[in-house]
Amino acid sequence: IPGVKLPDFSQFGEVKREAMSRMMFATANNMQRSWLNVPHVTQFEDADITDMEDFRKAQKAAGEKKGVKMTPLPFLLKACATALAELPQFNVSLDMERKEVVRKSYIHIGIAVDTPHGLMVPVIRDVDKKGLWELAAESAELAQKARDKQLKPAEMQGACFTITSLGGIGGTAFTPIVNTPEVAILGVSKAAMKPVWDGKEFQPRLMLPLSLSYDHRAVNGADAARFTSVLSQLLGDIRTLLL
Ligand code: CAO
């Protein structure tokens, strides 16, 4: 690709140069590799999490006893694991050299963690086999390890899919970059109260914005719409996560 020729910035004002950290350079290369190799499309959906949030908040005392904080993330992990099992075309990698699709029989999900030294993506293994408390404890532990630079290489490998949640910060939607060789990534923005028409009147409902970016070589648009619909149904009635 054509390189970007830098001007001499000092002609415009004072500048300082500093070396990129190894992590920043590696992340930059990974982002560019994915951006250039993967034909990206992003599918948007709002999930009604009013009841889920009531349930989650009701777990506060139980969480304090266990020493674990229940955030929306474990529900998202569980819903994504169910959606990946229902729509296995999302749980693949493409081997373009051998012209093969690699189908995975396991469900490991990466979580993007914002740290002072950059973006890290620890991986929770076998999400489909774990309960909400276990997922809450494990994601908090891995996120802390990421912030403390204590993650082992094995703890950052093997993901089938990634969740990147900016919901604790803000924003209404974004278009995440697929963490290739995975073929999809779920972006989560901040839940907000919205008027939702129930057929007779508007009801105030807490709506969670979801942004699913996918590799259009592996997944078609109809499947992406199915995936976000499944997520929205599961998060809208979390009893269905038990089915
Ligand atoms: N909508 C509204 N509130 C939300 C929310 C959402 N979608 N998601 C989380 N929150 C709330 C939590 O409930 C919590 O509130 P309370 O303290 O009142 O309960 C608060 O926001 C903070 O949550 P958190 O961010 O600490 O916890 P989490 O489990 O939601 O997220 C983690 C953990 C690791 C995903 C997060 O800390 C993080 O690093 N996010 C950034 C990821 C990132 O940088 N992605 C971009 C990658 S591409 O550049």
Side-chain angles (χ1 to χ4, degrees):
I1 55 162
V4 178
K5 203 166 170 348
L6 294 183
D8 173 8
F9 295 104
S10 65
Q11 66 184 302
F12 309 118
E14 196 187 318
V15 291
K16 257 191 253 162
R17 278 182 172 264
E18 61 187 41
M20 285 186 198
S21 67
R22 269 184 28 212
M23 193 154 100
M24 185 178 178
F25 190 68
T27 304
N29 272 324
N30 286 340
M31 291 292 179
Q32 190 172 29
R33 189 177 302 124
S34 190
W35 184 254
L36 293 174
N37 277 289
V38 174
H40 280 78
V41 180
T42 307
Q43 171 75 26
F44 300 102
E45 174 87 281
D46 275 351
D48 182 339
I49 58 161
T50 317
D51 299 336
M52 185 196 103
E53 278 297 274
D54 287 346
F55 175 77
R56 184 181 74 82
K57 286 189 180 136
Q59 305 312 310
K60 199 163 182 243
E64 275 162 14
K65 258 194 215 155
K66 288 175 192 288
V68 180
K69 187 174 166 197
M70 184 67 81
T71 67
L73 188 61
F75 296 90
L76 290 161
L77 283 162
K78 210 64 207 162
C80 287
T82 305
L84 286 167
E86 259 181 53
L87 295 162
Q89 56 272 48
F90 284 84
N91 196 2
V92 304
S93 287
L94 300 183
D95 186 336
M96 296 303 280
E97 267 172 34
R98 289 170 59 171
K99 299 187 186 146
E100 286 174 356
V101 177
V102 184
R103 300 195 182 279
K104 298 156 195 176
S105 319
Y106 51 86
I107 299 183
H108 304 336
I109 299 182
I111 46 171
V113 180
D114 178 38
T115 78
H117 33 274
L119 176 66
M120 306 206 74
V121 188
V123 179
I124 304 192
R125 310 194 105 70
D126 299 314
V127 173
D128 52 322
K129 301 194 177 102
K130 292 177 178 165
L132 290 171
W133 286 117
E134 200 176 353
L135 293 171
E138 200 173 328
S139 52
E141 188 192 323
L142 286 172
Q144 195 51 50
K145 271 185 158 181
R147 291 183 193 109
D148 296 342
K149 283 190 168 175
Q150 294 299 318
L151 284 174
K152 299 189 187 89
E155 290 173 313
M156 292 183 279
Q157 291 165 0
C160 309
F161 181 88
T162 295
I163 297 177
T164 170
S165 173
L166 297 177
I169 305 170
T172 53
F174 62 111
T175 55
I177 297 178
V178 172
N179 196 8
T180 189
E182 298 156 35
V183 298
I185 178 167
L186 182 73
V188 182
S189 298
K190 193 175 177 67
M193 273 294 179
K194 289 193 177 162
V196 176
W197 185 250
D198 70 358
K200 288 193 192 115
E201 53 193 344
F202 284 107
Q203 300 287 350
R205 306 292 295 177
L206 186 62
M207 305 304 288
L208 180 71
L210 304 173
S211 310
L212 178 80
S213 290
Y214 58 93
D215 182 338
H216 210 335
R217 296 173 303 174
V219 171
N220 61 38
D223 286 334
R226 284 185 195 106
F227 194 94
T228 53
S229 296
V230 168
L231 287 183
S232 160
Q233 280 159 20
L234 291 166
L235 296 169
D237 183 353
I238 51 165
R239 293 171 304 178
T240 52
L241 283 173
L242 298 170
L243 298 174

